[in-house]
Amino acid sequence: MTDTTLPISVTIIAQDEADRIGMAIESVRNWVDEVVVVDSGSTDGTQEIAASLGARVVHHDWPGYGLQKRFAEDQARNDWIFNIDADERILPELQAEIVAMFTQAPDADGYFIAIHDRLYCTDRLSAYTPYKPVRLYRKSKGRYSTSPVHDRVQMEAGAKTATLKGRMAHDSLKSFHHRIEKMNEYTEAQAKDLLARGRKPSTFRILTEFWTAFIVGYCFRGYWRGGLMGYIYAVNFAYSRFLRQIKLYESERKK
């Protein structure tokens, strides 16, 4: 670490993200102490790109989302962790806010950060905020869960949290082909997780899940503000929720 960098370890989990991981690393590498990339077996040169940008690359076979991010925490040399995904980037106002905060001393143990989708085939960020998770945190006060599906930081009892004003940009779609593959894999894992937790399939949910999720996404999450692409995002969201339900039904029937 130099005098111009912050005592933060950025952790990124990745596999076959050669077309996007460079942007993620570039958005942080000049102002944090280290960037740690945990790769689960890329074949497209992701590891080489990350290493060329100064990241420390570690291989670890894929155990699931939460466990992989927890493994990444263990590789970091700092207590402060900033977890970002390979398809995300830190916007300048968020960088400035974090740098200013560390010139004093952070007044919380974990920080919620708004993540906005960059609408596919455009340079426009969505007006809606799909999620606002804890991403900047002390690993002595919070760790990623061990869930194979739910990658969320679980803060210790009594740990103080706050919300930052700056935003992260999320390139959630690199192609519709990739989106369908990712959706298929993720809903498969979700269905297995639900079944393991004793959840039962519901005919009512199967019949209503798509339409309910579409209304939630399009109206309440504000996808309607994105025009045609916002409509496409709402349909994608709704279909992923529907797919999870029918895979749960399928798994139960096979059992």
Side-chain angles (χ1 to χ4, degrees), residues 20-249:
R20 301 190 290 186
I21 197 167
M23 177 182 63
I25 296 173
E26 289 281 11
S27 72
V28 295
R29 70 182 185 130
N30 292 326
W31 53 278
V32 301
D33 178 36
E34 64 169 351
V35 178
V36 180
V37 173
V38 176
D39 186 88
S40 52
S42 295
T43 59
D44 65 347
T46 295
Q47 307 97 319
E48 291 77 10
I49 293 171
S52 73
L53 293 172
R56 177 159 52 93
V57 181
V58 180
H59 174 83
H60 190 248
D61 290 340
W62 181 250
Y65 286 94
L67 285 167
Q68 191 77 328
K69 290 195 173 186
R70 182 172 276 246
F71 176 83
E73 291 171 340
D74 292 335
Q75 310 313 303
R77 61 176 173 241
N78 294 294
D79 187 36
W80 277 103
I81 304 290
F82 193 178
N83 175 253
I84 66 175
D85 288 339
D87 57 359
E88 295 171 345
R89 68 183 186 275
I90 310 309
L91 297 179
E93 64 267 25
L94 177 58
Q95 174 188 338
E97 184 179 9
I98 294 172
V99 170
M101 181 172 68
F102 273 82
T103 58
Q104 307 283 326
D107 59 358
D109 301 306
Y111 291 90
F112 296 96
I113 300 175
I115 302 174
H116 290 253
D117 283 329
R118 185 177 69 87
L119 297 179
Y120 184 53
C121 295
T122 77
D123 290 321
R124 186 156 55 95
L125 289 182
S126 64
Y128 49 85
T129 306
Y131 43 91
K132 190 182 289 185
V134 170
R135 285 296 191 87
L136 178 63
Y137 60 99
R138 295 182 186 271
K139 66 178 176 182
S140 58
K141 296 291 185 178
R143 298 292 302 271
Y144 266 93
S145 72
T146 58
S147 167
V149 177
H150 305 292
D151 55 339
R152 289 290 183 268
V153 176
Q154 296 176 329
M155 302 300 295
E156 292 182 356
K160 184 179 179 183
T161 57
T163 301
L164 297 178
K165 295 178 180 178
R167 304 175 299 169
M168 295 169 61
H170 181 211
D171 285 292
S172 60
L173 278 175
K174 62 179 179 180
S175 72
F176 290 116
H177 178 87
H178 176 261
R179 170 60 180 162
I180 291 169
E181 287 185 334
K182 187 174 180 181
M183 185 190 303
N184 197 35
E185 292 173 1
Y186 191 60
T187 53
E188 196 81 27
Q190 285 180 317
K192 290 178 180 178
D193 181 62
L194 290 171
L195 194 65
R197 292 191 283 121
R199 293 284 292 275
K200 299 292 184 182
S202 162
T203 300
F204 177 77
R205 290 288 296 271
I206 291 172
L207 292 173
T208 62
E209 190 78 359
F210 179 89
W211 307 109
T212 301
F214 177 81
I215 291 169
V216 168
Y218 194 72
C219 299
F220 297 104
R221 286 194 175 189
Y223 287 124
W224 61 271
R225 296 188 182 95
L228 179 59
M229 192 57 65
Y231 173 81
I232 293 171
Y233 271 58
V235 171
N236 268 268
F237 170 68
Y239 183 65
S240 69
R241 298 298 293 267
F242 170 72
L243 200 56
R244 180 176 67 178
Q245 289 299 319
I246 62 173
K247 286 186 176 184
L248 176 61
Y249 173 77

